[in-house]
Amino acid sequence: MAPVTGENDVDHETNNILLRALVKHWTVKPIVKSPALEEREKYLFLYVKFIRFNRWMLFASSFLIQFCCGSLYSWSNFNAPIDILIYETKTANKAPNTFYIAVGMFGTTAMILGPWLERHGPRRGLLLGSIVFGIGQGITALSLHRKSIVGVYIGYGVLGGFGLGLNYISPVSALQKFFPDLRGMASGFAVAGFGAGSIVWSKVILPLIERYKLPETFAILGAVLAGTMLLCSIVMRTPPNNFTVHGLNVRGEQMTHHDVE
């Protein structure tokens, strides 16, 4: 009598497929750059041999990126204006849900797309994150014109949270590789920009709303924040093959003369 394939076999095969997909996603192989790419990345603008790239340029660009990402934690300034605009009362308490959605997307994106970022590099990550964030800001502005809280949830909560989450980890990934000798200082300096941004943007939002109204404020902030992060993507890159600083490789491991050879 021929064996019968039961539901347990199907479930087992499905589990194997899922497991293989997860392992493939979370397994990252070192990126090997071509000689042509390494030569281009010696310069800041890649295809224009004008300004030579220096790893310290990453400090300023990473701080600016994190400074823009810190705008997420100034969201509380939007709660009352949004509830008043859509519900005509500041006690509706619907706008705070946007922040909860955004923070959830922020953390989930940073966690899940970490391996993708390692495979494709911080420049692509920053380009994708900035574009998605900019689109989300535009959707938020249009949704406020139509007084749609659902559109705000999608625009800022989902898309904005996704973009900021990806942009948050992109510069830190680059700094960790370029500064194996100063890993703590490099990461701390970048993340300090996040805290500074949360303070500064909190002082900017209400004056903008008073002068340009709420929807226009999101359009302006979207253009400024996304534009700044896109410009910073010019600096983002990963180190060349066999990169070392003071005998340390990109993982912070001490390299011997034999290892370098």
Side-chain angles (χ1 to χ4, degrees):
M1 186 175 180
V4 179
T5 301
E7 292 184 1
N8 289 337
D9 295 329
V10 175
D11 292 340
H12 181 69
E13 182 63 25
T14 301
N15 290 336
N16 284 339
I17 293 172
L18 291 174
L19 181 60
R20 287 197 296 270
L22 288 172
V23 171
K24 182 178 180 180
H25 174 71
W26 290 101
T27 302
V28 180
K29 297 180 180 179
I31 298 174
V32 179
K33 296 184 177 182
S34 66
L37 179 58
E38 285 194 328
E39 181 63 27
R40 289 198 301 271
E41 288 191 340
K42 289 180 181 179
Y43 298 89
L44 179 62
F45 297 107
L46 299 184
Y47 294 97
V48 180
K49 295 183 178 181
F50 178 57
I51 302 174
R52 291 189 70 88
F53 172 77
N54 186 295
R55 66 173 181 154
W56 290 95
M57 294 177 179
L58 286 168
F59 259 70
S61 61
S62 297
F63 184 89
L64 280 175
I65 294 164
Q66 296 286 359
F67 185 80
C68 293
C69 291
S71 62
L72 172 63
Y73 277 82
S74 62
W75 174 264
S76 59
N77 293 273
F78 287 118
N79 287 336
I82 289 176
D83 281 336
I84 291 172
L85 177 67
I86 297 177
Y87 300 101
E88 299 182 353
T89 174
K90 64 180 181 181
T91 60
N93 288 326
K94 298 295 183 181
N97 294 331
T98 311
F99 177 75
Y100 305 144
I101 296 170
V103 170
M105 283 298 299
F106 182 95
T108 303
T109 300
M111 177 184 67
I112 295 178
L113 290 189
W116 179 90
L117 181 67
E118 291 299 304
R119 281 191 287 269
H120 295 88
R123 186 183 299 115
R124 288 186 183 180
L126 198 58
L127 287 171
L128 176 60
S130 301
I131 291 170
V132 172
F133 174 77
I135 292 172
Q137 290 285 102
I139 292 174
T140 303
L142 291 173
S143 298
L144 289 170
H145 270 296
R146 293 183 170 273
K147 298 186 178 182
S148 169
I149 193 64
V150 174
V152 175
Y153 291 163
I154 294 172
Y156 194 92
V158 177
L159 298 180
F162 174 91
L164 292 178
L166 187 53
N167 285 4
Y168 180 84
I169 60 175
S170 294
V172 176
S173 172
L175 283 172
Q176 289 284 297
K177 294 179 178 65
F178 268 106
F179 289 89
D181 53 332
L182 299 169
R183 293 169 73 92
M185 186 183 78
S187 299
F189 185 84
V191 176
F194 190 91
S198 66
I199 297 172
V200 173
W201 294 114
S202 294
K203 305 299 182 182
V204 172
I205 290 172
L206 292 180
L208 278 178
I209 294 174
E210 291 174 2
R211 181 167 183 176
Y212 297 106
K213 297 183 180 180
L214 188 57
E216 288 79 1
T217 294
F218 275 94
I220 293 170
L221 288 177
V224 171
L225 296 173
T228 300
M229 291 187 288
L230 282 171
L231 285 175
C232 289
S233 68
I234 295 172
V235 184
M236 288 296 117
R237 63 201 67 198
T238 52
N241 301 328
N242 303 317
F243 176 80
T244 59
V245 177
H246 304 308
L248 299 174
N249 64 13
V250 293
R251 294 181 296 277
E253 300 168 341
Q254 187 70 46
M255 302 293 289
T256 64
H257 179 71
H258 176 73
D259 292 328
V260 176
E261 292 290 331

